[in-house]
Amino acid sequence: MRRELITAIPPAEIGAILEKSGAEVKIEIGEAEPFHGMPRYRLTIEGTEEEIERFMETLRLARAGG
């Protein structure tokens, strides 16, 4: 399964979140069009549906202050 996401989270932080999640997914990071001058990144996440959801849940909690 593949999922794409555009985010302002810096690549180093994405790596830390991936490590913390323990999810077995492959993430490719590329640049996306800036939004009002703020850099954005295009994430391509590949893995099983369960592993992608595991990573996404950790990402949501990390950005929500959880």
Side-chain angles (χ1 to χ4, degrees):
M1 178 177 192
R2 175 183 280 184
R3 188 164 183 185
E4 289 192 9
L5 175 70
I6 295 180
T7 183
I9 302 171
E13 191 172 338
I14 292 290
I17 292 168
L18 175 60
E19 190 174 308
K20 182 178 179 181
S21 75
E24 297 200 17
V25 295
K26 179 182 174 192
I27 298 180
E28 292 180 23
I29 302 174
E31 291 190 21
E33 187 174 324
F35 181 73
H36 295 287
M38 180 173 47
R40 297 193 307 171
Y41 305 94
R42 180 180 317 275
L43 305 180
T44 303
I45 308 163
E46 292 185 38
T48 64
E49 187 174 348
E50 295 81 20
E51 291 296 310
I52 290 174
E53 189 54 40
R54 184 178 182 181
F55 169 73
M56 292 300 293
E57 183 63 23
T58 305
L59 178 67
R60 283 189 283 272
L61 289 173
R63 298 312 288 175

